[in-house]
Amino acid sequence: MANFAERIRTLRSEQNITQDALGKIVGVKRYSVYGYEKGNNFPEVPVLIALADYFGVSIDYLLGRTDNPEVNR
């Protein structure tokens, strides 16, 4: 299974959106998104939720706990 950094990088690339734009959407700076994608840092819970909501995937998917991106509500 992919890790968090790989998932964020892949999802952002698939949406064709810049690190700066994603940062603005979820309320962090571009260098934070860069750090997430490099595996150097990890978002706080509110940002993790915002990322999952923006990409329409589950937090478990982002964290690499499952390969199923669907949100179970």
Side-chain angles (χ1 to χ4, degrees):
M1 280 191 235
N3 65 29
F4 177 76
E6 294 167 348
R7 292 269 160 93
I8 290 298
R9 185 174 43 253
T10 299
L11 288 166
R12 184 182 61 77
S13 295
E14 288 172 351
Q15 294 287 323
N16 198 29
I17 145 177
T18 66
Q19 291 175 340
D20 187 53
L22 180 58
K24 288 178 182 173
I25 290 166
V26 299
V28 298
K29 303 284 185 190
R30 182 203 60 79
Y31 59 81
S32 293
V33 176
Y34 173 82
Y36 304 156
E37 291 184 4
K38 290 295 181 184
N40 296 333
N41 59 1
F42 194 80
E44 293 192 17
V45 172
V47 176
L48 183 61
I49 292 168
L51 287 164
D53 287 347
Y54 175 75
F55 290 119
V57 299
S58 71
I59 290 173
D60 282 344
Y61 178 76
L62 286 180
L63 297 178
R65 295 184 66 204
T66 181
D67 286 330
N68 180 1
E70 293 182 17
V71 176
N72 296 320
R73 295 184 191 218

